[in-house]
Amino acid sequence: MSDGDAAEEIMCATHRALCAHGYADLTMQDIADESTKSKAALHYHYDSKHDLLCAFLEFLYDRFVERTADIEAADPHAELLALVDVVLQKPESEPEGFETAVLEIRAQAPYEPGFRERLSRFEEYLVAEFTEVLEAGIEDGTFAADVEPADTARFLVTVLTGASTERVTVGRSVECTQRMLRSYIERHLLAEQREGIEA
Amino acid sequence: MSDGDAAEEIMCATHRALCAHGYADLTMQDIADESTKSKAALHYHYDSKHDLLCAFLEFLYDRFVERTADIEAADPHAELLALVDVVLQKPESEPEGFETAVLEIRAQAPYEPGFRERLSRFEEYLVAEFTEVLEAGIEDGTFAADVEPADTARFLVTVLTGASTERVTVGRSVECTQRMLRSYIERHLLAEQREGIEA
């Protein structure tokens, strides 16, 4: 087994272990139990649980970048909606407990600079993706000229973060958020609707 | 010391202990150390750390209801902005670590039905407060007649939840969220702006 294959196997085992046990009680043994490796072998690859979880956040980041790169859309409006949906909808294969484990890790960020650094990278990437779509849409006249791409991108990411937190905390479905975001985009960002306000 | 005074003292000690230690590592001894009581005395009032934290969430709820009841505003628009600000801005006396501890507790909600029940009550209260202000504003013509009060209230709460999660996770200030929410309210909800769209 190559180093890359071993890393991939450990990342998948970490994913399963987080879904089953959550973050707080997770041990290296739990991760070993989900893989073909011993706990000692895990420690050969990663010094500590902290290091392994930092690598796992990077693995998630790469997977997420791949998912957003797959988006094909006819125009900036469709692309913006597709990007919202990719973030809002969990992959169908994802067990219930995973989003909870991710929120647990987020809540540890103030205590773990390694987590915060990787979560910030994640967030900055998403803000940059939204900014890029918004800029392209302003350029081609899809979105109103006075939309602030960077601020609007941050706002959209905040809404998506809130929807994920609420899904974990109070079990609320994201359906209402999805509907309200579509309405926000239509009424607040699209050039054709916004012209009415200026008139 | 009356039972009420004892409960109040334990709640304040819990608040200090959560700020200092976070949720994950919090012990009954940490809470006792912040109060004049022994760990045994705490157990006389609360069977377990879980029971004590459920009581603490109720204490927070009551404090929050008091804070929102204090809002005095000239009209529904001002009241909506004031309600956003009360949620977005932490009380000045609140130490840095407290919001983190609350997010840790939120992330435990799927494992702890007692937490989820109390957090849901919190959220439903806030949604009901926003709904009430929106309904009053639609009634008196401040907000556009086609604003959906319940959906809009839920959307506002989602944004506020996202801003709090991001403040903890990546240390992002709420300043951009505040600005974008003001713009959302002005352009999306106020009747005078919305008329432009219908024209």
Side-chain angles (χ1 to χ4, degrees):
Chain A
M1 193 181 263
S2 76
D3 267 12
D5 288 345
E8 173 91 16
E9 199 216 323
I10 295 171
M11 293 299 104
C12 294
T14 304
H15 185 265
R16 287 191 295 274
L18 276 170
C19 294
H21 303 280
Y23 165 80
D25 299 326
L26 189 73
T27 63
M28 289 293 257
Q29 188 59 55
D30 293 329
I31 299 169
D33 290 347
E34 293 286 345
S35 80
T36 61
K37 304 210 176 306
S38 66
K39 193 176 141 190
L42 288 188
H43 278 291
Y44 168 79
H45 291 278
Y46 303 98
D47 277 345
S48 63
K49 188 178 113 176
H50 174 266
D51 284 357
L52 195 158
L53 285 170
C54 285
F56 182 68
L57 290 175
E58 289 168 15
F59 169 78
L60 286 186
Y61 177 86
D62 292 340
R63 260 199 350 179
F64 182 73
V65 169
E66 274 171 35
R67 276 174 70 207
T68 58
D70 285 346
I71 292 176
E72 283 179 28
D75 58 68
H77 182 202
E79 198 176 344
L80 194 65
L81 294 175
L83 194 53
V84 163
D85 286 351
V86 162
V87 184
L88 219 45
Q89 282 155 5
K90 297 179 286 185
E92 276 181 29
S93 55
E94 199 139 282
E96 186 79 15
F98 188 63
E99 197 170 25
T100 304
V102 169
L103 188 62
E104 288 184 82
I105 291 172
R106 294 186 90 148
Q108 295 304 309
Y111 314 121
E112 305 278 6
F115 290 177
R116 173 168 280 182
E117 183 192 322
R118 284 156 183 91
L119 291 166
S120 297
R121 197 174 152 225
F122 219 115
E123 204 220 8
E124 288 309 320
Y125 169 78
L126 193 53
V127 170
E129 284 291 293
F130 274 118
T131 304
E132 200 179 295
V133 179
L134 288 164
E135 282 172 347
I138 293 164
E139 181 74 24
D140 80 358
T142 304
F143 301 124
D146 66 348
V147 167
E148 297 275 3
D151 281 357
T152 305
R154 288 204 179 274
F155 184 68
L156 292 172
V157 172
T158 300
V159 177
L160 297 169
T161 301
S164 168
T165 302
E166 288 177 345
R167 183 153 56 183
V168 172
T169 304
V170 297
R172 195 208 278 180
S173 127
V174 298
E175 188 269 329
C176 173
T177 305
Q178 197 160 27
R179 198 154 21 89
M180 294 304 288
L181 269 183
R182 284 178 178 269
S183 151
Y184 173 79
I185 290 165
E186 265 171 40
R187 292 190 163 167
H188 213 89
L189 306 183
L190 285 185
E192 49 197 293
Q193 289 284 353
R194 291 290 305 288
E195 274 157 21
I197 291 172
E198 261 72 60
Chain B
M1 192 181 263
S2 76
D3 267 12
D5 288 345
E8 174 89 17
E9 199 215 324
I10 295 171
M11 293 300 105
C12 294
T14 304
H15 185 266
R16 287 191 294 276
L18 277 169
C19 293
H21 303 280
Y23 165 80
D25 300 326
L26 190 73
T27 64
M28 289 293 257
Q29 188 58 55
D30 293 328
I31 299 169
D33 290 345
E34 293 286 345
S35 79
T36 61
K37 304 209 176 308
S38 67
K39 194 175 139 190
L42 288 188
H43 277 291
Y44 168 80
H45 291 277
Y46 304 99
D47 277 346
S48 63
K49 187 177 113 175
H50 174 267
D51 285 357
L52 196 159
L53 285 170
C54 285
F56 182 67
L57 290 175
E58 288 168 14
F59 169 78
L60 286 185
Y61 176 86
D62 292 340
R63 264 202 344 182
F64 182 73
V65 169
E66 274 170 36
R67 276 174 69 207
T68 57
D70 285 346
I71 292 175
E72 284 180 26
D75 57 69
H77 182 203
E79 197 176 344
L80 194 66
L81 294 175
L83 194 53
V84 163
D85 286 351
V86 162
V87 184
L88 218 44
Q89 282 154 6
K90 297 178 287 186
E92 277 182 28
S93 55
E94 199 138 284
E96 186 79 15
F98 188 64
E99 198 170 23
T100 304
V102 170
L103 188 62
E104 288 184 82
I105 291 172
R106 293 186 92 148
Q108 294 304 310
Y111 314 121
E112 304 278 7
F115 291 178
R116 172 168 280 180
E117 182 192 324
R118 285 156 183 90
L119 291 166
S120 297
R121 197 175 152 223
F122 220 116
E123 203 220 8
E124 288 308 321
Y125 169 77
L126 193 53
V127 170
E129 284 292 293
F130 274 117
T131 304
E132 199 179 296
V133 178
L134 288 163
E135 282 171 348
I138 293 164
E139 180 74 24
D140 80 358
T142 304
F143 300 124
D146 66 346
V147 167
E148 296 274 4
D151 280 358
T152 305
R154 289 204 178 273
F155 184 67
L156 292 172
V157 172
T158 300
V159 177
L160 296 170
T161 301
S164 169
T165 302
E166 288 177 345
R167 183 152 58 182
V168 171
T169 304
V170 296
R172 194 207 278 180
S173 128
V174 297
E175 188 269 329
C176 174
T177 305
Q178 197 161 26
R179 197 154 22 88
M180 295 304 288
L181 270 183
R182 284 177 178 271
S183 150
Y184 173 78
I185 291 165
E186 266 171 40
R187 292 190 163 169
H188 214 88
L189 306 183
L190 285 185
E192 48 197 294
Q193 290 285 352
R194 291 291 304 288
E195 274 158 20
I197 292 172
E198 261 70 60

